[in-house]
Amino acid sequence: MNEAQILQIAVAIIINSQNRLLIVQKQSSTYYQLPGGKIDEDEQPVEALCRELKEELNLALSQEQISLLGIHEAKAVNEVGKTVRGYVFSVDIPESEESLNPHAELKEVYWLSENEVPDYKLANLLGEFALPVWLGKK
């Protein structure tokens, strides 16, 4: 695959105290996706994740809260002809930080319950990798 067609991203699976999965919607998208974003050329995936979560959700993380679950490639939903290579991390946040508001390019932040999954238009990486992890099917 042509590396120019691959978008390197770092995203987080964050599950709250009610076993709901955090999803976000960017201003320019009809899809919901995992919080995170593109990895800059000079960044490690975990650094990009920390930067993106600070910008988008005002979440400051420590290394102890983050663990890599895997790398998954999926068809990009917002950029035609591109593939996302997602570095997918599990992020633990305290219950006191579960009240999150959208910042930067985010339009909405939502805690998704299992029975609401069919009601939301989910990005491929979220559907193919994060849902099975969250729902214990991976």
Side-chain angles (χ1 to χ4, degrees):
M1 180 177 296
N2 180 354
E3 285 294 314
Q5 296 301 106
I6 295 178
L7 303 171
Q8 306 258 9
I9 62 171
V11 294
I13 294 177
I14 303 174
I15 299 166
N16 74 7
S17 54
Q18 285 81 48
N19 194 35
R20 289 173 174 253
L21 176 70
L22 183 66
I23 57 174
V24 299
Q25 187 179 41
K26 296 190 184 283
Q27 297 282 357
S28 59
S29 180
T30 58
Y31 287 87
Y32 284 82
Q33 55 199 60
L34 296 170
K38 291 181 183 161
I39 301 170
D40 290 340
E41 216 171 285
D42 59 340
E43 282 182 311
Q44 292 299 311
V46 71
E47 295 169 332
L49 182 71
C50 289
R51 176 184 51 76
E52 288 284 347
L53 294 184
K54 181 67 178 157
E55 289 172 7
E56 295 180 349
L57 299 170
N58 199 30
L59 266 180
L61 301 174
S62 67
Q63 295 287 338
E64 296 77 41
Q65 293 172 274
I66 305 167
S67 59
L68 181 65
L69 294 173
I71 301 167
H72 183 78
E73 290 187 1
K75 184 177 174 187
V77 294
N78 293 321
E79 299 193 40
V80 177
K82 301 250 181 180
T83 296
V84 292
R85 179 177 294 145
Y87 291 78
V88 184
F89 294 88
S90 171
V91 174
D92 295 318
I93 62 170
E95 193 172 342
S96 60
E97 293 186 22
E98 290 179 2
S99 179
L100 299 167
N101 295 306
H103 296 278
E105 71 266 20
L106 293 186
K107 176 172 40 175
E108 186 179 357
V109 173
Y110 187 73
W111 291 102
L112 183 70
S113 70
E114 186 174 343
N115 64 346
E116 293 174 313
V117 169
D119 302 333
Y120 283 80
K121 190 173 178 181
L122 303 176
N124 294 323
L125 179 64
L126 196 167
E128 294 171 15
F129 188 92
L131 285 184
V133 168
W134 172 43
L135 301 175
K137 298 174 183 150
K138 189 128 182 115

